[in-house]
Amino acid sequence: MEQTDEPDGSVDVVWCRDVLEIIPDLQAGLSEVARVLKPGGSAVIYTVFATPRLEPREAAAVNQPLGSVPQNLERAWVEQAFKQAGFRVERLEEIGTEFREYEEERTQPVSESLLRLARLRRRREEVIQRFGRDKYNLWEASLHWLAYLLMGKAEPVAYVLRLP
Ligand SMILES: C[S@@+](CC[C@H](N)C(=O)[O-])C[C@H]1O[C@@H](n2cnc3c(N)ncnc32)[C@H](O)[C@@H]1O
């Protein structure tokens, strides 16, 4: 995202879902999006922010293994970065827990991930021995994520950004 091969002003729409969270230099990534877009082009961005319900220890346990940059989970920081890259927010949709409520009623992905989490923890030592601690931490963090979204500890927001 920070450096693409697309020529300047060549792209109609950039679609970016669940990526801003892990970009170390967010400003560079967004400036690159602005560079490749045609004048008047737009970027559709779906990203997730931490809420005050996410306790610091919980944040630390998921951010590091998942590669999330803590600052990029702060809404004010990200919205300021949009502005600095020259974008204006044309539309904003606070998805919150709604997406996860919908899925949970139909296919129970959160129940499934919590069941898998319990089973992973039950065999913690064996899994670490076989696959290493980093892999264990990554799986443990991943299996928390959907539950955190459903509990409102993390909230997705979708934006349509436009260049003037
Ligand atoms: C959570 S996944 C989201 C994938 C996809 N956008 C989706 O919604 O299913 C994050 C993706 O970001 C990619 N990624 C990691 N660092 C990146 C970077 N610096 N620029 C662009 N993509 C990156 C990863 O390879 C991974 O595919």
Side-chain angles (χ1 to χ4, degrees), residues 1-3 15-24 29 46:
M1 184 176 185
E2 300 92 322
Q3 193 175 11
W15 162 249
C16 175
R17 190 186 90 150
D18 258 341
V19 174
L20 294 193
E21 299 94 316
I22 56 175
I23 300 294
Y46 168 105

Side-chain angles (χ1 to χ4, degrees), residues 11 15 23 42-43 53 64 82 105 108 119 136 139-140 145 149 157:
V11 172
W15 162 249
I23 300 294
S42 54
R53 291 194 179 95
Q64 201 275 334
F82 292 158
E105 270 177 341
Q108 293 79 47
R119 289 181 170 148
Y136 178 88
W139 292 332
E140 199 177 49
W145 193 240
L149 287 167
V157 178

Side-chain angles (χ1 to χ4, degrees), residues 13-130:
V13 176
V14 170
W15 162 249
C16 175
R17 190 186 90 150
D18 258 341
V19 174
L20 294 193
E21 299 94 316
I22 56 175
I23 300 294
D25 188 344
L26 182 63
Q27 205 57 66
L30 290 171
S31 298
E32 187 67 353
V33 173
R35 181 188 70 74
V36 303
L37 278 174
K38 290 179 181 171
S42 54
V44 182
I45 307 266
Y46 168 105
T47 197
V48 173
F49 299 121
T51 76
R53 291 194 179 95
L54 186 70
E55 300 293 341
R57 278 184 58 192
E58 293 172 333
V62 291
N63 287 345
Q64 201 275 334
L66 296 179
S68 301
V69 177
Q71 216 168 18
N72 295 1
L73 304 183
E74 290 173 23
R75 186 162 170 174
W77 164 256
V78 172
E79 290 184 351
Q80 179 58 31
F82 292 158
K83 212 166 151 186
Q84 231 162 293
F87 288 109
R88 96 185 139 76
V89 175
E90 186 179 80
R91 190 168 163 197
L92 184 159
E93 197 84 37
E94 288 174 344
I95 298 163
T97 60
E98 203 176 339
F99 178 12
R100 294 293 148 199
E101 292 167 40
Y102 179 93
E103 275 208 322
E104 196 60 16
E105 270 177 341
R106 286 158 181 81
T107 56
Q108 293 79 47
V110 173
S111 306
E112 188 186 321
S113 60
L114 293 178
L115 184 61
R116 289 173 63 197
L117 176 63
R119 289 181 170 148
L120 178 75
R121 283 183 170 158
R122 185 155 47 77
R123 297 173 63 185
R124 186 172 189 275
E125 292 316 315
E126 178 195 335
V127 173
I128 289 175
Q129 218 169 34
R130 204 162 149 209

